[in-house]
Amino acid sequence: MGSCFNNSSLACSHLLASDFSRPLKLPKILHLQKGQFCRSRRATQFWAFHGLTTPPYKLDALEPYMSQRTLEMHWGKHHRGYVDCLNKQLENNNVLYGYTMDELVKATYNNGNPLPEFNNAAQVWNHDFFWESMQPDGGKTPEGGVLQKIEKDFGSFANFKEKFVNAALSVFGSGWIWLVLKTKEKRLEVVKTSNAVTPLVWGDIPIISLDMWEHAYYLDYKNDRGKYVNIFMNHLVSWNAAKARMARAEAFVNLGEPKIPVA
Amino acid sequence: MALRSVISRKTLGSLGLGFSHARGLQTFTLPDLPYDYSALEPAISVEIMRLHHQKHHQTYITNYNKALEQLEEAMAKGDSSAVVKLQAAIKFNGGGHINHSIFWKNLIPTSEGGGEPPHGALGWAIDTHFGSFEALVKKVNAEGAALQGSGWVWLGVDKESQKLVVETTANQDPLVTKGPNLVPLLGIDVWEHAYY
């Protein structure tokens, strides 16, 4: 896939100029060191393999639907923690060097027998995807091709919304809810996964995700999951992101026959 | 009281399967806490105690009762696929009720001895099987922190081998799902709602 090659060449460009006999040293990245389970003991030499991506909006931009405090905890502590723990695990594992996040998630899933790095890798990927699935002044309804596809596969947008909300409320324990484009069936579906699993590992293409781990909503909504899910659908979900992801997905999944005019 | 819910559970078990004539299905009720909501401050806040007890635990009980009703109907009709389908809901909600009932009894305000290291037979057993009380604390902390997603950390006894064990279970699975000989002594709720 095109994007993979781009990423790995970026990662390799550091190595081109340096001496292979010495470990790669990168400048210390701006980082909260407090309260990390997996803090590197060598604080002055920080080896970064994967970085913490930032949400595409300020931390208070989703108020009042998702508070700044939630973003600070969820992104600043949980997401950052997963990144740090993943980097620490990768320090000991040469086999997984140079993998992009997508490839890392699929490789560590190991077809259902996840390796120890899977939880951290998948949660890093999931949270990157989640921040981008939301936007300030989000919600409302999608337009154009995305709406058409939803109406085709669910009957109506209202049907899809109901299915999504019901799936979210039926999660046992920690998990995620996805609107996913199934590559084999070539249709959109609502999928529920537990803990860190993502539909990426089954070769499907996620379009929108919702974090149903308690840490995602407890500070703002306590145990009122219904309110959280409805507010997500009405005010937070980014149909712009969905549009971009669908457009990209169409490069991998043929969603319809092209109309070739008869000569 | 917690005692009432223990009795109800036993009664339900003794009724057994195969009774086709009408029997009163025991419903479960929320056991009272053996202390005030504010008794565990500052370790656990009033708000969390209230929410945890009156919302989360109550929801498990409500859904457990509902699932048991549906199970009884399905069994009466001989609807096997419904019976099997309900198992997940029963395990989750029933487990949630069992685990939380144990949890409330595991906690006590510091004024009544909460947090003090164990003495007597339990103290001896801990020293024998883990080396020291501190070692046990370290192990439990490590297991709890390593748990992915939601679950519980348990200090239990293996009845067969007569040993103390530290185990984790996922979601609301009771300790017995990790081994039929395991008896829970102490359970720690590591769901985020317990400490957020």
Side-chain angles (χ1 to χ4, degrees), chain A residues 173-190:
Chain A
S174 304
W176 297 78
I177 301 294
W178 308 83
L179 171 62
V180 101
L181 179 64
K182 296 273 214 178
T183 40
K184 284 207 195 76
E185 294 89 330
K186 299 187 184 155
R187 39 177 300 129
L188 287 174
E189 272 179 33
V190 169

PDB file of all heavy atoms in Angstrom, chain A residues 173-190:
ATOM      1  N   GLY A 173     -18.053  -4.508  29.596  1.00  0.00           N
ATOM      2  CA  GLY A 173     -16.652  -4.229  29.908  1.00  0.00           C
ATOM      3  C   GLY A 173     -16.109  -3.115  29.026  1.00  0.00           C
ATOM      4  O   GLY A 173     -16.818  -2.184  28.686  1.00  0.00           O
ATOM      5  N   SER A 174     -14.835  -3.214  28.676  1.00  0.00           N
ATOM      6  CA  SER A 174     -14.201  -2.153  27.892  1.00  0.00           C
ATOM      7  C   SER A 174     -14.218  -2.517  26.425  1.00  0.00           C
ATOM      8  O   SER A 174     -14.027  -3.678  26.069  1.00  0.00           O
ATOM      9  CB  SER A 174     -12.758  -1.986  28.334  1.00  0.00           C
ATOM     10  OG  SER A 174     -12.698  -1.743  29.706  1.00  0.00           O
ATOM     11  N   GLY A 175     -14.439  -1.531  25.559  1.00  0.00           N
ATOM     12  CA  GLY A 175     -14.437  -1.848  24.137  1.00  0.00           C
ATOM     13  C   GLY A 175     -14.615  -0.622  23.282  1.00  0.00           C
ATOM     14  O   GLY A 175     -14.557   0.509  23.774  1.00  0.00           O
ATOM     15  N   TRP A 176     -14.796  -0.855  21.985  1.00  0.00           N
ATOM     16  CA  TRP A 176     -14.952   0.209  21.005  1.00  0.00           C
ATOM     17  C   TRP A 176     -16.119  -0.119  20.088  1.00  0.00           C
ATOM     18  O   TRP A 176     -16.422  -1.282  19.843  1.00  0.00           O
ATOM     19  CB  TRP A 176     -13.688   0.323  20.143  1.00  0.00           C
ATOM     20  CG  TRP A 176     -12.460   0.705  20.897  1.00  0.00           C
ATOM     21  CD1 TRP A 176     -11.697  -0.112  21.686  1.00  0.00           C
ATOM     22  CD2 TRP A 176     -11.837   1.993  20.950  1.00  0.00           C
ATOM     23  NE1 TRP A 176     -10.645   0.598  22.213  1.00  0.00           N
ATOM     24  CE2 TRP A 176     -10.704   1.885  21.766  1.00  0.00           C
ATOM     25  CE3 TRP A 176     -12.137   3.237  20.351  1.00  0.00           C
ATOM     26  CZ2 TRP A 176      -9.857   2.969  22.038  1.00  0.00           C
ATOM     27  CZ3 TRP A 176     -11.291   4.309  20.616  1.00  0.00           C
ATOM     28  CH2 TRP A 176     -10.167   4.175  21.447  1.00  0.00           C
ATOM     29  N   ILE A 177     -16.748   0.934  19.562  1.00  0.00           N
ATOM     30  CA  ILE A 177     -17.801   0.760  18.563  1.00  0.00           C
ATOM     31  C   ILE A 177     -17.300   1.386  17.277  1.00  0.00           C
ATOM     32  O   ILE A 177     -16.731   2.479  17.301  1.00  0.00           O
ATOM     33  CB  ILE A 177     -19.082   1.487  18.996  1.00  0.00           C
ATOM     34  CG1 ILE A 177     -19.547   0.944  20.320  1.00  0.00           C
ATOM     35  CG2 ILE A 177     -20.185   1.316  17.973  1.00  0.00           C
ATOM     36  CD1 ILE A 177     -19.996  -0.483  20.274  1.00  0.00           C
ATOM     37  N   TRP A 178     -17.519   0.694  16.182  1.00  0.00           N
ATOM     38  CA  TRP A 178     -16.997   1.152  14.897  1.00  0.00           C
ATOM     39  C   TRP A 178     -18.082   1.194  13.842  1.00  0.00           C
ATOM     40  O   TRP A 178     -18.948   0.332  13.792  1.00  0.00           O
ATOM     41  CB  TRP A 178     -15.925   0.180  14.377  1.00  0.00           C
ATOM     42  CG  TRP A 178     -14.848  -0.112  15.352  1.00  0.00           C
ATOM     43  CD1 TRP A 178     -14.888  -1.037  16.368  1.00  0.00           C
ATOM     44  CD2 TRP A 178     -13.559   0.494  15.434  1.00  0.00           C
ATOM     45  NE1 TRP A 178     -13.715  -1.028  17.061  1.00  0.00           N
ATOM     46  CE2 TRP A 178     -12.875  -0.105  16.500  1.00  0.00           C
ATOM     47  CE3 TRP A 178     -12.918   1.482  14.662  1.00  0.00           C
ATOM     48  CZ2 TRP A 178     -11.579   0.260  16.854  1.00  0.00           C
ATOM     49  CZ3 TRP A 178     -11.617   1.837  15.026  1.00  0.00           C
ATOM     50  CH2 TRP A 178     -10.977   1.220  16.103  1.00  0.00           C
ATOM     51  N   LEU A 179     -17.983   2.194  12.945  1.00  0.00           N
ATOM     52  CA  LEU A 179     -18.672   2.120  11.665  1.00  0.00           C
ATOM     53  C   LEU A 179     -17.573   1.685  10.717  1.00  0.00           C
ATOM     54  O   LEU A 179     -16.551   2.370  10.589  1.00  0.00           O
ATOM     55  CB  LEU A 179     -19.226   3.489  11.246  1.00  0.00           C
ATOM     56  CG  LEU A 179     -19.760   3.526   9.810  1.00  0.00           C
ATOM     57  CD1 LEU A 179     -20.920   2.555   9.637  1.00  0.00           C
ATOM     58  CD2 LEU A 179     -20.183   4.935   9.430  1.00  0.00           C
ATOM     59  N   VAL A 180     -17.741   0.517  10.103  1.00  0.00           N
ATOM     60  CA  VAL A 180     -16.639  -0.078   9.365  1.00  0.00           C
ATOM     61  C   VAL A 180     -17.098  -0.414   7.953  1.00  0.00           C
ATOM     62  O   VAL A 180     -18.265  -0.745   7.734  1.00  0.00           O
ATOM     63  CB  VAL A 180     -16.190  -1.345  10.151  1.00  0.00           C
ATOM     64  CG1 VAL A 180     -16.717  -2.602   9.534  1.00  0.00           C
ATOM     65  CG2 VAL A 180     -14.718  -1.363  10.312  1.00  0.00           C
ATOM     66  N   LEU A 181     -16.181  -0.295   6.978  1.00  0.00           N
ATOM     67  CA  LEU A 181     -16.486  -0.736   5.623  1.00  0.00           C
ATOM     68  C   LEU A 181     -15.885  -2.132   5.486  1.00  0.00           C
ATOM     69  O   LEU A 181     -14.665  -2.307   5.537  1.00  0.00           O
ATOM     70  CB  LEU A 181     -15.863   0.209   4.589  1.00  0.00           C
ATOM     71  CG  LEU A 181     -16.121  -0.197   3.124  1.00  0.00           C
ATOM     72  CD1 LEU A 181     -17.599  -0.128   2.799  1.00  0.00           C
ATOM     73  CD2 LEU A 181     -15.336   0.691   2.167  1.00  0.00           C
ATOM     74  N   LYS A 182     -16.756  -3.112   5.360  1.00  0.00           N
ATOM     75  CA  LYS A 182     -16.277  -4.487   5.255  1.00  0.00           C
ATOM     76  C   LYS A 182     -15.736  -4.700   3.852  1.00  0.00           C
ATOM     77  O   LYS A 182     -16.455  -4.491   2.871  1.00  0.00           O
ATOM     78  CB  LYS A 182     -17.455  -5.447   5.485  1.00  0.00           C
ATOM     79  CG  LYS A 182     -18.054  -5.365   6.857  1.00  0.00           C
ATOM     80  CD  LYS A 182     -17.335  -6.250   7.761  1.00  0.00           C
ATOM     81  CE  LYS A 182     -18.076  -6.919   8.824  1.00  0.00           C
ATOM     82  NZ  LYS A 182     -17.207  -7.792   9.594  1.00  0.00           N
ATOM     83  N   THR A 183     -14.492  -5.165   3.752  1.00  0.00           N
ATOM     84  CA  THR A 183     -13.870  -5.242   2.433  1.00  0.00           C
ATOM     85  C   THR A 183     -14.451  -6.369   1.595  1.00  0.00           C
ATOM     86  O   THR A 183     -14.635  -6.235   0.396  1.00  0.00           O
ATOM     87  CB  THR A 183     -12.354  -5.438   2.555  1.00  0.00           C
ATOM     88  OG1 THR A 183     -12.100  -6.342   3.624  1.00  0.00           O
ATOM     89  CG2 THR A 183     -11.668  -4.135   2.870  1.00  0.00           C
ATOM     90  N   LYS A 184     -14.793  -7.500   2.242  1.00  0.00           N
ATOM     91  CA  LYS A 184     -15.318  -8.614   1.439  1.00  0.00           C
ATOM     92  C   LYS A 184     -16.756  -8.358   1.043  1.00  0.00           C
ATOM     93  O   LYS A 184     -17.147  -8.538  -0.106  1.00  0.00           O
ATOM     94  CB  LYS A 184     -15.242  -9.922   2.225  1.00  0.00           C
ATOM     95  CG  LYS A 184     -13.843 -10.495   2.301  1.00  0.00           C
ATOM     96  CD  LYS A 184     -13.846 -12.024   2.470  1.00  0.00           C
ATOM     97  CE  LYS A 184     -12.488 -12.533   2.894  1.00  0.00           C
ATOM     98  NZ  LYS A 184     -12.216 -12.268   4.342  1.00  0.00           N
ATOM     99  N   GLU A 185     -17.571  -7.962   2.030  1.00  0.00           N
ATOM    100  CA  GLU A 185     -18.983  -7.765   1.738  1.00  0.00           C
ATOM    101  C   GLU A 185     -19.244  -6.430   1.042  1.00  0.00           C
ATOM    102  O   GLU A 185     -20.341  -6.209   0.527  1.00  0.00           O
ATOM    103  CB  GLU A 185     -19.817  -7.811   3.033  1.00  0.00           C
ATOM    104  CG  GLU A 185     -19.831  -9.153   3.730  1.00  0.00           C
ATOM    105  CD  GLU A 185     -18.696  -9.308   4.732  1.00  0.00           C
ATOM    106  OE1 GLU A 185     -17.631  -8.700   4.527  1.00  0.00           O
ATOM    107  OE2 GLU A 185     -18.872 -10.025   5.726  1.00  0.00           O
ATOM    108  N   LYS A 186     -18.271  -5.550   1.052  1.00  0.00           N
ATOM    109  CA  LYS A 186     -18.352  -4.226   0.415  1.00  0.00           C
ATOM    110  C   LYS A 186     -19.527  -3.419   0.953  1.00  0.00           C
ATOM    111  O   LYS A 186     -20.190  -2.709   0.216  1.00  0.00           O
ATOM    112  CB  LYS A 186     -18.509  -4.359  -1.107  1.00  0.00           C
ATOM    113  CG  LYS A 186     -17.330  -5.056  -1.705  1.00  0.00           C
ATOM    114  CD  LYS A 186     -17.364  -5.057  -3.214  1.00  0.00           C
ATOM    115  CE  LYS A 186     -16.178  -5.867  -3.663  1.00  0.00           C
ATOM    116  NZ  LYS A 186     -16.248  -6.469  -4.919  1.00  0.00           N
ATOM    117  N   ARG A 187     -19.797  -3.559   2.260  1.00  0.00           N
ATOM    118  CA  ARG A 187     -20.865  -2.762   2.836  1.00  0.00           C
ATOM    119  C   ARG A 187     -20.438  -2.204   4.185  1.00  0.00           C
ATOM    120  O   ARG A 187     -19.538  -2.730   4.828  1.00  0.00           O
ATOM    121  CB  ARG A 187     -22.146  -3.564   2.964  1.00  0.00           C
ATOM    122  CG  ARG A 187     -21.979  -5.001   3.392  1.00  0.00           C
ATOM    123  CD  ARG A 187     -23.299  -5.697   3.571  1.00  0.00           C
ATOM    124  NE  ARG A 187     -24.117  -5.047   4.568  1.00  0.00           N
ATOM    125  CZ  ARG A 187     -25.373  -4.678   4.383  1.00  0.00           C
ATOM    126  NH1 ARG A 187     -25.976  -4.902   3.238  1.00  0.00           N
ATOM    127  NH2 ARG A 187     -26.053  -4.102   5.356  1.00  0.00           N
ATOM    128  N   LEU A 188     -21.146  -1.158   4.575  1.00  0.00           N
ATOM    129  CA  LEU A 188     -20.878  -0.546   5.877  1.00  0.00           C
ATOM    130  C   LEU A 188     -21.588  -1.357   6.947  1.00  0.00           C
ATOM    131  O   LEU A 188     -22.710  -1.809   6.738  1.00  0.00           O
ATOM    132  CB  LEU A 188     -21.427   0.881   5.910  1.00  0.00           C
ATOM    133  CG  LEU A 188     -20.659   1.927   5.107  1.00  0.00           C
ATOM    134  CD1 LEU A 188     -21.413   3.243   5.124  1.00  0.00           C
ATOM    135  CD2 LEU A 188     -19.266   2.128   5.670  1.00  0.00           C
ATOM    136  N   GLU A 189     -20.919  -1.518   8.090  1.00  0.00           N
ATOM    137  CA  GLU A 189     -21.570  -2.203   9.198  1.00  0.00           C
ATOM    138  C   GLU A 189     -21.149  -1.570  10.506  1.00  0.00           C
ATOM    139  O   GLU A 189     -20.098  -0.940  10.587  1.00  0.00           O
ATOM    140  CB  GLU A 189     -21.185  -3.690   9.217  1.00  0.00           C
ATOM    141  CG  GLU A 189     -22.103  -4.529   8.351  1.00  0.00           C
ATOM    142  CD  GLU A 189     -21.731  -5.993   8.328  1.00  0.00           C
ATOM    143  OE1 GLU A 189     -21.241  -6.499   9.353  1.00  0.00           O
ATOM    144  OE2 GLU A 189     -21.926  -6.621   7.275  1.00  0.00           O
ATOM    145  N   VAL A 190     -21.986  -1.773  11.551  1.00  0.00           N
ATOM    146  CA  VAL A 190     -21.616  -1.328  12.896  1.00  0.00           C
ATOM    147  C   VAL A 190     -21.022  -2.528  13.612  1.00  0.00           C
ATOM    148  O   VAL A 190     -21.627  -3.598  13.638  1.00  0.00           O
ATOM    149  CB  VAL A 190     -22.851  -0.817  13.671  1.00  0.00           C
ATOM    150  CG1 VAL A 190     -22.508  -0.605  15.132  1.00  0.00           C
ATOM    151  CG2 VAL A 190     -23.350   0.468  13.062  1.00  0.00           C
TER     152      VAL A 190
END
